[in-house]
Amino acid sequence: MSAPTISVPQANPGGGYRALRGAIDAAVARVLESGWYILGQEVRAFEAEFATWLGNHAAVSCGNGTDALALALRALDVGPGASVVTVSHTAVATVAAIEMVGATPLLIDIEPDCYTMDPAELESVLARPPVGLPPIRAVIPVHLYGQPAALERIQAVCQAHGIPVIEDCAQAHGATIGSRKVGTFTEVATFSFYPTKNLGALGDGGMVVASSPELAARIAALRQYGWKTHYISDEVGVNSRLDELQAAILRVKLQHLDAQNARRREIAAAYDAALSGSTLAPPVRRPGAEHVFHLYVLRVPDRADVQAQLRAAGVGTGIHYPSPVHLQPAYMERIALGPSSCRVTEIAAQQVLSLPMFPELTDAQVAHVCGVLRSL
Ligand SMILES: Cc1ncc(COP(=O)(O)O)c(C=O)c1O
C-alpha cells in the first residue's frame, strides 16, 4: 500500500517564498548586481528596521540563532567556569550554544500547560544550586512555540540573585507580554531566522538584540573576529555574519511579519473552534501575553494513533521535540538536571503533536484540517 499523499503539510517554507516571489526576486537581483555580499548596506538596513520593529533595542545580526545565543553569552562574559540554566524541552540549539562558549548547562523543568521554564524550579536551583556545578551566571528562558515564557516571575527571581536573563526568542518574533514584544525585556536577547520561523530567511540567519549601544558594539565586534577596526582583533571573536542576500530577503519578509502573525492566530482560532467538544484541548494561552503560533501544539496521550489518522486524511504533523535534550545520546547522563529531573518535560515529549501552521495555509486547507479534527 502506498503512503497517503500529504495535502496539508505541517510547515512550508517554499510557500513563504512563493507568496512574496516578486519582491524577493527583486531584492536578490539588487544584491547580486551590487557586488557587495557581506556586511553591507542590506545588513545595516535590516538591523535598523528590525530594531525599529522590535522597540528600543539595538540589533546585531549574525549567522544563525545558535550563534546569536553564544554571542549573547560571550557579551555577558559567561564562559568556562559558569553554569547557565535553561530548559530541556527546547531545540537542542539552546543547550548547544551554552556548551559552545565553554559554560555548563543546568536543565530544569517546564510548566505543564505552557511548556516554558518553570519559575518555581528556577527559584529552587538559584536558592540551592546543585553541588559540584560552577556558579550560575545566566538564565535562558525559551519563548517556545510562539508563547512567551513566565518572564515576569523569572526576571524577579533572577534579579534577587543578580543573575542576567537572556530571552531565546527564536520561535516568538512579535509575541508580546503586555504591550511589549519579547526580546525587549532583558539586557540581551536572541532570534533565529531559520526558514520555518515566523520571520524566516531562505537560508540561515540570526540576531542578537541589546539594550545598550555599548553591548551591541561588543557583540558586533565578537561576530567578526573581535574587530572594532578592520583586521585588528581587540578580543578573540568568531566569524558569524548574516550575508547581504539573506538580509535583503529578510527586509522584504519583515514588512509582512505582523500580518502573517495575525493570520497564524486566525488559523489557531479555527483549530480551537474545531476542537471544542473533542477530548483534545487547544493550546493554553498565557494570560496577559500574546502567542504568535510558531507552532500549534496539542497534547495527545495516544499520539501515534492520532498522527496516523491525520496522515491518512492528508494532514502532515510534526513533533517538537521527540526527545528532551538530556535524553539525547550526546547529552545523556552527563548533563546536570534540576531537582524535578525534568519529569514534566519527559511526559510532554511523548505527547506533543504540532498541526499544520504557516500563514500561507489556504482557507480550504484550514477547513480540511478542522474537519479531520472534528472527526477525531
Ligand atoms: C528555541 C530555539 N533556540 C535556538 C534556535 C537556533 O536557531 P538556528 O537554527 O538559527 O541556529 C532554534 C532554531 O532552531 C530554536 O528553535
Side-chain angles (χ1 to χ4, degrees):
M1 206 176 84
S2 62
T5 311
I6 296 296
S7 57
V8 190
Q10 193 276 318
N12 183 17
Y17 161 63
R18 282 186 289 278
L20 302 172
R21 189 198 303 263
I24 290 176
D25 286 358
V28 167
R30 181 175 74 232
V31 174
L32 294 180
E33 282 300 329
S34 77
W36 192 292
Y37 305 121
I38 294 287
L39 293 191
Q41 62 181 24
E42 299 289 345
V43 163
R44 277 193 298 279
F46 175 56
E47 290 174 343
E49 287 158 12
F50 191 84
T52 302
W53 168 82
L54 187 67
N56 56 357
H57 279 42
V60 182
S61 60
C62 61
N64 55 67
T66 314
D67 285 355
L69 282 164
L71 288 165
L73 288 164
R74 286 276 320 265
L76 297 178
D77 293 314
V78 176
S83 293
V84 178
V85 182
T86 192
V87 285
S88 192
H89 188 66
T90 181
V92 71
T94 317
V95 181
I98 295 169
E99 294 203 325
M100 269 167 68
V101 302
T104 303
L106 167 57
L107 305 185
I108 64 172
D109 222 335
I110 51 170
E111 300 172 295
D113 289 345
C114 290
Y115 305 104
T116 51
M117 181 178 278
D118 178 2
E121 186 161 359
L122 176 65
E123 196 160 6
S124 126
V125 295
L126 293 189
R128 288 173 299 283
V131 178
L133 278 194
I136 295 167
R137 297 283 186 232
V139 172
I140 309 181
V142 180
H143 301 306
L144 200 75
Y145 303 153
Q147 167 116 291
L151 206 54
E152 203 177 324
R153 277 188 68 195
I154 290 169
Q155 284 191 288
V157 172
C158 288
Q159 208 167 14
H161 292 269
I163 294 173
V165 179
I166 298 171
E167 296 171 74
D168 181 346
C169 310
Q171 301 191 4
H173 316 70
T176 54
I177 301 172
S179 58
R180 273 166 70 183
K181 290 193 175 90
V182 298
T184 63
F185 290 87
T186 53
E187 216 181 339
V188 57
T190 65
F191 291 83
S192 160
F193 304 124
Y194 183 80
T196 57
K197 301 297 196 226
N198 289 38
L199 179 58
L202 303 184
D204 273 316
M207 188 78 88
V208 191
V209 296
S211 60
S212 79
E214 296 74 26
L215 204 52
R218 175 141 188 238
I219 294 160
L222 286 170
R223 79 167 161 193
Q224 184 169 232
Y225 314 119
W227 290 352
K228 284 191 195 129
T229 309
H230 228 63
Y231 303 133
I232 306 295
S233 295
D234 289 297
E235 62 178 321
V236 175
V238 295
N239 175 5
S240 182
R241 301 175 294 218
L242 186 70
D243 67 61
E244 288 282 286
L245 281 170
Q246 296 305 333
I249 292 165
L250 285 162
R251 289 181 69 194
V252 173
K253 294 186 107 189
L254 179 60
Q255 293 172 35
H256 299 271
L257 176 57
D258 292 338
Q260 291 182 340
N261 280 343
R263 172 67 179 155
R264 286 174 184 268
R265 282 194 291 272
E266 198 174 79
I267 296 165
Y271 290 169
D272 287 357
L275 288 166
S276 72
S278 97
T279 53
L280 299 174
V284 171
R285 273 67 151 183
R286 187 180 297 291
E290 190 156 68
H291 201 314
V292 288
F293 289 97
H294 170 56
L295 295 168
Y296 185 98
V297 177
L298 296 177
R299 190 183 272 273
V300 188
D302 51 345
R303 182 169 65 193
D305 186 36
V306 168
Q307 201 171 20
Q309 287 183 58
L310 286 158
R311 193 184 307 115
V315 176
T317 54
I319 297 177
H320 302 89
Y321 295 90
S323 172
V325 176
H326 69 275
L327 295 182
Q328 298 178 26
Y331 298 91
M332 202 157 31
E333 286 169 13
R334 70 172 186 83
I335 287 286
L337 300 181
S340 78
S341 302
C342 291
R343 268 198 311 275
V344 177
T345 294
E346 291 186 8
I347 296 167
Q350 289 166 19
Q351 299 185 336
V352 288
L353 185 66
S354 307
L355 296 185
M357 178 53 80
F358 51 92
E360 296 78 22
L361 277 172
T362 63
D363 289 346
Q365 286 177 311
V366 174
H368 177 66
V369 177
C370 288
V372 182
L373 291 177
R374 274 191 221 99
S375 73
L376 286 176

